[in-house]
Amino acid sequence: MSSSLQLFDDPVPAPQVAQDLLRRARPADGGHHDELREEDGSLRAPWRQFAAHLGAPLDDLERRRELLSRQIREDGVTYNVYGDAGPSRPWSLDVLPRIVDAQEWRALERGVAQRARLLNEILLDCYGEQALLQRAMLPAALVLGHPGYTRALHGVRPPGDVYLHVMAFDLVRGPDGAWWVVSQRTQAPSGLGYVMQNRLIVSRLFPEAYRQMSVQHLAGSYRRMVDNVSRLAAACSGQEAPRLALLTPGPFNETYFEHAYLARYLGLPLVEGGDLVVRDERVFLKTVQGLEPIHGLLRRLDDDFCDPLELRADSTLGVPGLMQAVRAGNVVLANALGTGFVESPAIHGFLPALSEHLLGEPLALPSLPTWWCGEAAVWGAVQDELVEHVIRPSFPLQATVGFGHDALRAGADAVVARTLTEPQLAAWRDRISRRPADYTLQRFQPYAQTPVWDGGVVRMRSASLRVYALADGEGGWHVLPGGMTRIATRDSGPVSMQLGGSSLDTWVLTEGPVDTFSMLSRGLRLDDLVQRQRPVASRTAENLFWMGRYTERAELQLRLVQALVDLRASDDDPHPASLLALSALFHSNGLVPSGVPDLVKSPRVFERAVLDALQDEQAGGGAYSIGFNLAAIERAAQALRERLSPAHGRLLRQMREDFQQQLAAMAPGEPTSGTPLPSDPSAIQDALDHLATLLSAATGAQSDRMTRDAGWRLLTVGRLTERLVAHTGMLKAFWEAGALNQPQGFDLLLDLFDSAITFRARFQRRLETPALLALLVLDEANPRALACVLRRLRTEIGKLPARGMETADLLALLPHQGVGLGLPELCDPARGDDAVMGMLNRLLDAGWRLSDEVGRLYFAHAEPNDAMVSA
């Protein structure tokens, strides 16, 4: 990307860029700190440096913004909004960075590290002696009454006494430029993946400025985080190297992209709750090789959802028994369970005194003035000044359901009192008076405004900064040099990604050397190489298996619909036997709902049902047609984001989107997914041809652009299993209907097997059954022939991870060689159709049983413990 930026042979003088920047940017709104200008109207020093190293007219920012947008699309960076039923929206990132100078950062760094140490001490006390509660330095109602306090962990000390491995603090700047803490996130702070992605993109847009301004790098902080968890997890792993994983709620979480990105960047497997199982108070990852022990989890799943046995019973996202593994000291969680109560905004009001008591030092970085209304004197003193405050819930809102409640939503659960009318203020006073402990008030503070580029204009937007403190495992905390700057969509308003806000890369300048650490190891050892060959998680393998099946299924359905279109366009009248065979295949392959009369009885009704079902992604009419399977492919791909390349993911998404758009464009009237298509099937030929091209590209990517590990082999087994069942079913349908006794049916079956050209090259127009069986059943060189499919299945199954004798049991489901019969037996006139039908029925049964057994063996893990735990 950076090479494409070198378009200006004569750099633009820095004073000219600086003047242009001042000219295009209006001052900050009254009452807001201006991060671009000094009080005298001149540029602040960091922005003078930035202008000096830009080397291009300010208008070039628009081109860089387009490059940024393209990079986000190509990388597949997304963020979902709560309640948004549509596809994931692209991540919002502005082209200009936010710049924090070295001196200012040193003060923030000291204050954030002190707060992290203070919160960890509070947790140690509240889950230990509880001296703070006994001395009333923290109200018991605020701690023990908070749903984030986990009583079952009282007395349980985490390894190294580290409750908080990663903390996030949301900071804002007041009108005088001073920094304040608004909130803190301690359960599963979000944003670290987006922080790194922002940095990689923006730093490449401004390589000269990034280098010359000595912007501190981020990679070393991420390595410290992983090393700390690994060091503490060593006590759980015995003699072996500790194994870590990143726990995600799954692909429906709004920040799933960053979970997948962060796992890939850190070199950790990305796991969901269903991937893990607790046996004998230890946590294991279900893999196709068996159960692999897990000793540490970086979790992005909130406390309530982590263990349905002891926490939230309706959670399908957690790991049953995880709490017991924690109590037994057999797994390190980053962060520890039970930290949610210190996220309460009410805690802020007690921190100054707690810092003096626990640390013996004043709080270096203040919170916004905060009052917990649960203290009668406090509420009595501030209720008349309610309009000057922000109303926040002291405890999690009961209406907030789901997972990932943090999710960069600062401000989403707050009410700015000055925006309320007098009747609304009165209603809020009454509501707080009835349940004062449920509410906390914070002094309203106009956020500082920072410059953003908006189509040729520099606008000033209200901004907050999320910074991250990372434990070093030895009682100290390291602060990530940068963070997630979030900006409001309007000139002044709530700063929230959930409300449509955007983000900025945050540049922290340093007066010392820049940390040149890279996540890439400088010297790989043999042990490192072995460790990088990680096992394939069972969920990943299952998604790959079904992606293979859905792709093959969509391809077969496409050929069937094309066959119907070609039959309608033919000059010859369709033969009833061919129509009966096609009808049976359309029903068995989900292209029409049950109960639709066949093509012989009512061809128009049948064709109408086929067309109506094509784009029905939800199978609302009972037909699991092409649209349904394309959507299923995309869902499987979304769950495999950490494994598939961005180009592969875009291709699978494009298949579904293009097909829907082309069909919608053909519908009369306003195009919607439910609008009927034209009654003539031939009208959709272009859409079918385009989809065929994309499906060919998708199968090519699956075949040639993926690593040949156990996951890829299971994807291939899925494709071949689907092909075995589908092609066997096609031959059976034509055989039973007697459609092979006439040329039309003969040619139609060859087309469905994609073998017409090969047949004619070998046998010309000798439309005889032995020739057909030789090519479509027995020819191991024809990839569509049953014998070839079985040969490839035997090969891939034989290379799957051995699981005792059960892999051999999978092979035993298939014929030992070929299809189990030779051409003489299949064409024996004494046996008539019995030999062929018997062979087809056996292969159908083998295909369905193989699918079930692969799932039981590699995905379900229903065997006894000692049979599953790998060495």
Side-chain angles (χ1 to χ4, degrees), residues 583-607:
S583 299
L585 288 173
F586 271 77
H587 278 288
S588 63
N589 286 280
L591 285 161
V592 290
S594 61
V596 174
D598 61 43
L599 280 164
V600 177
K601 294 179 181 177
S602 186
R604 294 287 180 256
V605 173
F606 190 93
E607 290 168 0

Side-chain angles (χ1 to χ4, degrees), residues 84-108:
D84 187 355
S88 302
R89 68 171 184 173
W91 175 246
S92 183
L93 173 64
D94 194 74
V95 66
L96 290 175
R98 187 184 197 180
I99 308 173
V100 182
D101 66 36
Q103 181 179 359
E104 190 170 40
W105 180 254
R106 282 196 296 272
L108 289 178

Side-chain angles (χ1 to χ4, degrees), residues 476-792:
W477 271 263
H478 168 79
V479 182
L480 182 81
M484 172 70 67
T485 290
R486 294 171 290 173
I487 57 174
T489 53
R490 299 180 298 277
D491 290 347
S492 59
V495 178
S496 168
M497 301 302 291
Q498 276 295 322
L499 296 178
S502 187
S503 69
L504 306 177
D505 185 23
T506 305
W507 289 10
V508 170
L509 309 185
T510 178
E511 295 170 344
V514 171
D515 185 358
T516 58
F517 175 83
S518 170
M519 289 294 287
L520 297 175
S521 301
R522 296 186 178 170
L524 287 173
R525 300 168 300 178
L526 290 179
D527 290 346
D528 296 328
L529 293 173
V530 172
Q531 189 175 11
R532 286 171 185 266
Q533 298 172 4
R534 295 195 304 271
V536 179
S538 292
R539 174 187 54 86
T540 298
E542 186 171 13
N543 279 308
L544 286 166
F545 178 80
W546 279 101
M547 187 167 73
R549 294 198 68 170
Y550 286 130
T551 305
E552 184 72 19
R553 194 172 293 176
E555 192 172 349
L556 170 67
Q557 290 180 330
L558 174 64
R559 289 205 304 274
L560 284 169
V561 177
Q562 287 177 318
L564 179 62
V565 171
D566 292 342
L567 205 61
R568 274 290 304 270
S570 174
D571 293 334
D572 299 329
D573 291 333
H575 194 280
S578 298
L579 295 179
L580 287 175
L582 270 183
S583 299
L585 288 173
F586 271 77
H587 278 288
S588 63
N589 286 280
L591 285 161
V592 290
S594 61
V596 174
D598 61 43
L599 280 164
V600 177
K601 294 179 181 177
S602 186
R604 294 287 180 256
V605 173
F606 190 93
E607 290 168 0
R608 181 75 265 158
V610 170
L611 294 176
D612 288 345
L614 279 181
Q615 56 185 332
D616 184 1
E617 295 184 354
Q618 305 301 320
Y624 297 84
S625 189
I626 294 177
F628 176 87
N629 284 298
L630 293 179
I633 294 170
E634 187 177 353
R635 285 194 298 271
Q638 190 174 11
L640 294 165
R641 291 191 71 156
E642 80 281 9
R643 185 180 178 96
L644 301 181
S645 69
H648 195 170
R650 286 197 303 274
L651 172 61
L652 299 179
R653 185 167 60 250
Q654 183 185 355
M655 286 196 309
R656 182 190 64 81
E657 292 175 352
D658 285 4
F659 189 65
Q660 286 285 11
Q661 289 170 4
Q662 286 184 291
L663 294 185
M666 285 184 277
E670 188 68 23
T672 65
S673 60
T675 305
L677 292 167
S679 58
D680 183 0
S682 62
I684 65 169
Q685 185 65 61
D686 289 343
L688 297 175
D689 290 343
H690 181 66
L691 178 59
T693 301
L694 295 182
L695 273 171
S696 296
T699 54
Q702 292 174 7
S703 299
D704 296 330
R705 297 192 175 185
M706 296 180 66
T707 304
R708 261 58 170 173
D709 60 2
W712 178 84
R713 298 199 184 283
L714 282 163
L715 180 148
T716 306
V717 168
R719 280 186 61 86
L720 293 172
T721 301
E722 190 69 31
R723 185 174 298 179
L724 175 65
V725 170
H727 284 61
T728 302
M730 281 196 296
L731 186 54
K732 182 180 178 182
F734 275 73
W735 200 275
E736 287 182 326
L740 301 178
N741 297 325
Q742 38 84 28
Q744 188 182 70
F746 210 97
D747 289 340
L748 187 55
L749 183 62
L750 286 172
D751 287 336
L752 290 174
F753 268 76
D754 198 18
S755 300
I757 294 176
T758 305
F759 185 88
R760 290 175 188 133
R762 292 186 186 179
F763 306 108
Q764 289 76 46
R765 294 295 299 173
R766 298 175 63 87
L767 305 183
E768 300 176 16
T769 301
L772 187 79
L773 294 176
L775 181 63
L776 303 189
V777 176
L778 300 174
D779 189 352
E780 294 194 2
N782 178 9
R784 302 288 176 180
L786 303 184
C788 183
V789 174
L790 288 165
R791 176 181 59 79
R792 294 182 60 197

Side-chain angles (χ1 to χ4, degrees), residues 268-302:
L268 302 178
L270 182 68
V271 302
E272 298 178 25
D275 296 329
L276 303 174
V277 64
V278 175
R279 301 287 167 86
D280 299 326
E281 299 183 336
R282 294 184 177 275
V283 179
F284 293 90
L285 172 63
K286 294 186 284 189
T287 77
V288 296
Q289 289 86 356
L291 297 184
E292 298 279 352
I294 292 292
H295 309 105
L297 286 172
L298 278 73
R299 65 182 179 95
R300 287 300 318 277
L301 184 63
D302 285 350

Side-chain angles (χ1 to χ4, degrees), residues 374-507:
E375 296 178 302
V378 168
W379 173 232
V382 299
Q383 61 177 312
D384 291 337
E385 302 172 358
L386 184 61
V387 71
E388 299 299 326
H389 294 83
V390 177
I391 307 167
R392 297 184 182 275
S394 303
F395 308 108
L397 295 177
Q398 295 301 313
T400 301
V401 296
F403 45 83
H405 80 277
D406 167 29
L408 304 177
R409 291 192 300 149
D413 298 328
V415 176
V416 180
R418 63 173 55 194
T419 65
L420 303 176
T421 63
E422 282 300 327
Q424 289 172 328
L425 274 173
W428 269 105
R429 286 194 186 94
D430 181 61
R431 183 183 303 178
I432 297 172
S433 296
R434 289 197 303 269
R435 298 184 61 89
D438 289 354
Y439 298 97
T440 297
L441 302 182
Q442 279 187 337
R443 178 73 67 180
F444 174 78
Q445 187 77 275
Y447 291 6
Q449 294 187 337
T450 196
V452 299
W453 179 257
D454 184 10
V457 178
V458 179
R459 302 191 186 278
M460 304 300 291
R461 296 289 190 226
S462 298
S464 69
L465 173 62
R466 172 167 289 193
V467 297
Y468 298 86
L470 312 172
D472 63 11
E474 299 175 355
W477 271 263
H478 168 79
V479 182
L480 182 81
M484 172 70 67
T485 290
R486 294 171 290 173
I487 57 174
T489 53
R490 299 180 298 277
D491 290 347
S492 59
V495 178
S496 168
M497 301 302 291
Q498 276 295 322
L499 296 178
S502 187
S503 69
L504 306 177
D505 185 23
T506 305
W507 289 10

